Amino acid sequence: MNAHESFIGKPVVRREDARFLTGKGQYTDDITLPGQAYGVFVRSPYAHARIRSLDTSAAAAAPGVVGILTGDHFKAVGGLPCGWLINNLDGTPMKEPRHPVLADGKVRYVGDRVVLVVADTLQQAKDAAALVEVDYDELRPVVDTGSAKGASAPGQSVHDEAPNNVCYHWGIGDQAGTDEAFKTAAHVTTLHFRNNRLVPNAMEPRAANASYDVNADNYTLYVSNQNPHVERLLMCAFVLGIPEHKMRVVAPDVGGGFGSKIYLYGEETALVLASKLLRRPIKWTCERSEAFLSDAHGRDHVSTAKLALDANGKFLALRADTTANMGAYLSTFSTCIPTILHATLLAGQYATPKIWCEVTAVFTNTAPVDAYRGAGRPEATYLLERIVETAAHEMGLDPAEIRRRNFITSFPYATPVGLTYDTGDYNATMSRAIELADVAGFAARKAASAAKGLKRGLGYSAYIEACGIAPSSVAGALGARAGLFEAGEVRVHPTGKVTIFTGSHSHGQGHETTFAQVVADRLGIPMDDVSIEHGDTGKVLFGMGTYGSRSLSVGGTAIVKAVDKVIAKGRKIAAHLLEAADTDIVFEGGVFKVAGTDKSIPFASVALTAYVPHNFPHDKLEPGLNENAFYDPSNFTYPAGTYICEVEIDPATGHTRVDRFTAVDDFGNVVNPMIVEGQVHGGLAQGIGQALLEHGVYDTDSGQLLSGSYMDYAMPRADDLPNFVVETAKGTPCTHNPLGVKGCGEAGAIGSPPAVINAICHALGVKDVPMPATPYTVWQAAQSAPAAH
């Protein structure tokens, strides 16, 4: 592409892929510091137990051991904080028990951190860790989400502060109005279901490498993390009490996160303190078996949903009652997932007049539960799209038609659960998905399957999500303990080359490409003239990181605002050079021009002049061409779409094959369609994985994680997935950011699970099949299916 051609909307190949595909990426585990030691954590083998005694003497005497830390080292510091305060329906605050860095007197889940052993080599640290002796007094664990409330005997609750194991009881909507609407309903559909627990399984496990400089009295932490500034803030201000300017956090290349690397964990926190106490850099890299036990998990809701309809299939009201598992401790953003990011999305694409949702969050003796790709919105979409499809079948209506009768068609639209959608065209994405999925040919395909003794079904899902997590004012009113803005800095060098510093963090999203496309397009310069820097608190302005599909809509807008400041200053310099008023200067295609004349000067010449003060009126303008901006959105963005899944089932074995999957999404304006399509593909794989395969299962008696390895936790493989038909619709641009973009990174994982389960239920003629729909589960459902079907 030449310098004047638009980069927006072009499938530019990702610039970062060359180093990843040739093994030249630098991840946290690749970093080796001088004098580095290695850390290994001794973890609890019990789900719930008191620590009677702890003997580390044999471990301390083992070869190569540098030091050992226990919970005693952290009694004088804070616990790991929760970033979102939720109030109960009665106005009282949630229960917020201390989350210790290392266990202090009690362990609360299998994998809970008990001791940190540091040695010269990794093997020495492992050998010494095996010598640590812990005497436990085992207690009965609380495991099951649905029965956790009030499940403990006196003195045996997960936390003494929550004797009935309830963290909060929260609600949103119009309870009285919803109750009244149900009284007038011609039909009520009811569903009870569980949204299965998931283990994130990022390709790169969590890792950290902490060092302390005794001369400068400062710390450096390399960590596999999605938001290094937040990591630093929480660790410094709330836990260790380190002055924030004394800590540098660097998140280098990160091999996937899916939410699990947003949070402040105890492992890196322990390493930071240990690096000072022991005067050695310390590396810890999580092993996969550790990751299963200790990474924050996702989902795990038990819900009852009821939908009230009139005789024509118009929605009158929705009632939802959810019990959400928090795990043993409150992770950084855990409390907002089943509330702010779940219940507020229960309107979906529909003009349902009345909605009431209650959420009870419970503590259990399991790994903490927090955001996982979609974070509350997959749970909301599953609840809504399953009950809508079920209502359609119960009332004898076509699933597409019942949706059309209830779609929101006028914008902006204020939902009954606190959000205002700015724009959308749900009929358009539905129509296009039906066309691409060849729904008209389904009957023939169903007959062909039946001739082979197989069953075929078709399922819909019309999702919407709120992403670009913000604005701070709304989030703060709903309990957020931090702002949700983003920062960007544009540094123009004298030669006209540009370096961008962004508070967003890339861990697979392709920021080095898309951000460069945006900047190059706006400045009219080649993409090769733009470099992107992120992930280092020592270089980048304070930013909130990457999660919730916010990078381009929030982080990209901050960059655009900074670029516009550069252009504004450049216009003044150009006006001086071209002997014109700055109001007469226009900027287009990388050139400053005097309107209505042929007088012009290229961007690079203006950049050079900015660093030669005697060539422009420096008494009015500062030298240099650097600008920064912070952006706090006025609203969320609301991507939406229609997904259609077609499955073929062998009723004799329960094996389900996803034969076709069509996804049509409205993401507003699209900067790089190839990257967007890749994001959707990845989300679909994860969503189908949840629907058919993945399930984090704990033994209800012992609290042991039964699906703690890839032998027992089924990840989707290529042969589990069809060739996806993916299309980004001619979208409805977001109305409140200058790029007109919406989020795309989580859509596939949000919309796909209900489409798959709806297709399976349609094939079998049953009301519900629980996730994951394993062959045995589907076989059981097939045996109970109506004979006529």
Side-chain angles (χ1 to χ4, degrees):
M1 295 181 186
N2 63 56
H4 306 301
E5 184 178 353
S6 175
F7 294 99
I8 302 300
K10 301 294 171 52
V12 178
V13 174
R14 296 190 352 155
R15 303 197 301 181
E16 47 270 72
D17 284 350
R19 72 173 187 275
F20 294 145
L21 293 173
T22 57
K24 293 181 173 63
Q26 186 178 56
Y27 301 89
T28 299
D29 189 59
D30 294 323
I31 294 168
T32 300
L33 301 176
Q36 173 183 289
Y38 294 82
V40 167
F41 288 90
V42 176
R43 299 183 181 274
S44 171
Y46 298 107
H48 198 194
R50 295 187 183 91
I51 299 175
R52 287 198 188 103
S53 63
L54 183 61
D55 186 353
T56 63
S57 57
V65 171
V66 177
I68 295 177
L69 275 69
T70 69
D72 288 343
H73 290 89
F74 295 91
K75 286 184 176 179
V77 304
L80 303 179
C82 178
W84 211 290
L85 172 66
I86 300 296
N87 287 323
N88 292 291
L89 282 170
D90 63 7
T92 58
M94 67 186 187
K95 302 294 185 183
E96 194 171 359
R98 177 180 167 85
H99 186 175
V101 176
L102 296 178
D104 184 10
K106 196 176 186 183
V107 291
R108 292 182 171 87
Y109 65 99
V110 175
D112 205 352
R113 300 170 299 273
V114 180
V115 175
L116 168 61
V117 177
V118 180
D120 289 330
T121 70
L122 179 58
Q123 189 57 53
Q124 288 173 332
K126 288 182 175 182
D127 292 343
L131 299 176
V132 173
E133 295 184 4
V134 187
D135 183 16
Y136 295 99
D137 176 19
E138 190 175 3
L139 304 172
R140 182 168 183 79
V142 177
V143 177
D144 180 64
T145 305
S147 59
K149 181 179 177 180
S152 300
Q156 294 206 16
S157 57
V158 180
H159 295 280
D160 294 341
E161 299 93 325
N164 62 352
N165 296 317
V166 172
C167 175
Y168 58 75
H169 179 215
W170 177 90
I172 192 171
D174 181 351
Q175 184 175 18
T178 300
D179 291 344
E180 286 300 313
F182 268 85
K183 293 177 183 178
T184 67
H187 181 85
V188 174
T189 294
T190 302
L191 271 179
H192 309 279
F193 53 85
R194 178 187 296 270
N195 205 291
N196 44 317
R197 178 183 280 243
L198 303 176
V199 182
N201 283 299
M203 186 177 294
E204 177 211 20
R206 290 189 293 124
N209 196 333
S211 64
Y212 173 71
D213 184 335
V214 65
N215 296 314
D217 186 30
N218 59 29
Y219 305 77
T220 300
L221 172 65
Y222 295 91
V223 62
S224 182
N225 184 269
Q226 297 175 218
N227 48 358
H229 273 289
V230 176
E231 170 101 358
R232 181 178 73 166
L233 173 64
L234 296 178
M235 187 185 297
C236 291
F238 295 95
V239 186
L240 298 181
I242 298 170
E244 197 174 0
H245 68 290
K246 291 289 188 179
M247 166 81 83
R248 177 188 175 205
V249 175
V250 182
D253 288 328
V254 173
F258 312 118
S260 68
K261 294 175 182 174
I262 299 173
Y263 326 118
L264 176 65
Y265 285 93
E267 285 88 354
E268 60 259 31
T269 308
L271 259 62
V272 168
L273 180 60
S275 71
K276 180 177 183 178
L277 296 178
L278 304 177
R279 299 294 197 267
R280 293 276 296 274
I282 306 168
K283 179 193 285 189
W284 166 78
T285 300
C286 190
E287 297 187 348
R288 189 61 66 180
S289 57
E290 277 188 291
F292 271 96
L293 294 173
S294 63
D295 286 3
H297 292 178
R299 316 289 194 254
D300 205 348
H301 288 191
V302 175
S303 298
T304 297
K306 296 185 178 183
L307 181 64
L309 306 94
D310 69 13
N312 296 315
K314 290 283 285 185
F315 302 163
L316 302 176
L318 174 71
R319 183 186 294 131
D321 190 336
T322 289
T323 300
N325 195 340
M326 297 287 98
Y329 301 103
L330 296 182
S331 180
T332 308
F333 294 114
S334 58
T335 52
C336 74
I337 306 306
T339 51
I340 310 309
L341 296 180
H342 168 256
T344 57
L345 270 297
L346 288 176
Q349 298 185 10
Y350 312 113
T352 307
K354 300 293 181 181
I355 299 175
W356 173 247
C357 177
E358 289 188 33
V359 177
T360 302
V362 294
F363 293 109
T364 63
N365 294 113
T366 64
V369 180
D370 209 316
Y372 173 71
R373 197 171 191 169
R377 290 144 302 167
E379 296 93 315
T381 300
Y382 188 80
L383 183 154
L384 186 59
E385 290 305 292
R386 283 288 295 116
I387 202 163
V388 167
E389 191 107 347
T390 303
H393 292 308
E394 288 181 349
M395 297 186 71
L397 294 172
D398 178 76
E401 176 58 26
I402 198 172
R403 289 175 167 88
R404 291 189 190 278
R405 292 182 187 182
N406 290 281
F407 276 157
I408 299 162
T409 56
S410 179
F411 297 89
Y413 177 81
T415 75
V417 279
L419 299 181
T420 298
Y421 303 162
D422 61 331
T423 186
D425 188 346
Y426 310 141
N427 273 299
T429 51
M430 173 70 78
S431 296
R432 184 59 176 155
I434 288 172
E435 179 185 353
L436 290 174
D438 185 24
V439 172
F442 172 74
R445 295 191 295 275
K446 182 178 177 69
S449 294
K452 298 183 290 185
L454 304 175
K455 295 184 178 292
R456 181 174 287 264
L458 186 143
Y460 290 82
S461 174
Y463 81 91
I464 191 169
E465 61 164 320
C467 57
I469 301 302
S472 296
S473 57
V474 174
L478 295 172
R481 288 165 164 166
L484 292 171
F485 54 84
E486 196 48 86
E489 179 184 355
V490 179
R491 189 175 298 174
V492 182
H493 304 288
T495 58
K497 312 303 182 185
V498 178
T499 302
I500 303 297
F501 298 87
T502 174
S504 300
H505 186 278
S506 181
H507 41 278
Q509 292 84 354
H511 293 171
E512 294 174 37
T513 303
T514 50
F515 285 168
Q517 285 180 258
V518 169
V519 173
D521 186 80
R522 210 156 186 96
L523 291 178
I525 61 178
M527 274 187 63
D528 288 344
D529 287 0
V530 182
S531 64
I532 308 296
E533 295 283 344
H534 64 91
D536 186 342
T537 63
K539 296 180 179 179
V540 177
L541 295 169
F542 189 100
M544 298 305 295
T546 292
Y547 44 85
S549 302
R550 72 193 302 268
S551 293
L552 192 56
S553 60
V554 186
T557 298
I559 292 169
V560 165
K561 288 169 68 70
V563 168
D564 287 347
K565 290 181 180 181
V566 165
I567 294 171
K569 184 174 180 179
R571 187 176 287 116
K572 294 178 181 180
I573 297 172
H576 174 76
L577 296 175
L578 297 173
E579 300 178 329
D582 57 9
T583 54
D584 292 332
I585 300 296
V586 294
F587 181 70
E588 56 187 25
V591 177
F592 293 94
K593 303 175 182 178
V594 180
T597 75
D598 60 358
K599 296 174 66 177
S600 66
I601 186 170
F603 175 77
S605 296
V606 170
L608 179 61
T609 302
Y611 291 91
V612 187
H614 58 269
N615 284 343
F616 69 93
H618 56 275
D619 57 326
K620 297 180 181 179
L621 291 174
E622 294 180 353
L625 202 52
N626 289 7
E627 298 289 349
N628 62 61
F630 288 81
Y631 175 64
D632 195 349
S634 60
N635 196 356
F636 297 95
T637 69
Y638 298 99
T642 295
Y643 291 176
I644 300 176
C645 177
E646 198 168 314
V647 300
E648 190 176 62
I649 297 171
D650 184 346
T653 65
H655 178 262
T656 299
R657 182 175 66 88
V658 179
D659 184 50
R660 293 166 169 241
F661 202 104
T662 302
V664 177
D665 300 283
D666 176 0
F667 294 135
N669 294 335
V670 172
V671 173
N672 189 315
M674 181 176 64
I675 289 178
V676 167
E677 184 174 349
Q679 288 286 310
V680 174
H681 276 223
L684 292 177
Q686 287 180 278
I688 293 170
Q690 175 176 12
L692 296 180
L693 300 165
E694 300 182 47
H695 195 187
V697 181
Y698 284 89
D699 180 78
T700 53
D701 291 325
S702 67
Q704 294 293 327
L705 181 63
L706 301 179
S707 53
S709 75
Y710 292 138
M711 293 293 290
D712 304 293
Y713 188 92
M715 297 281 284
R717 301 178 302 182
D719 59 357
D720 294 312
L721 307 170
N723 287 322
F724 301 127
V725 177
V726 173
E727 182 173 290
T728 301
K730 186 177 181 181
T732 55
C734 176
T735 61
H736 54 80
N737 69 59
L739 293 169
V741 296
K742 306 176 184 180
C744 73
E746 297 166 292
I750 291 169
S752 55
V756 175
I757 299 301
N758 285 338
I760 293 172
C761 291
H762 180 232
L764 299 179
V766 298
K767 185 172 183 177
D768 189 37
V769 174
M771 292 194 295
T774 62
Y776 179 64
T777 299
V778 173
W779 179 84
Q780 285 182 307
Q783 307 316 300
S784 65
H789 190 84

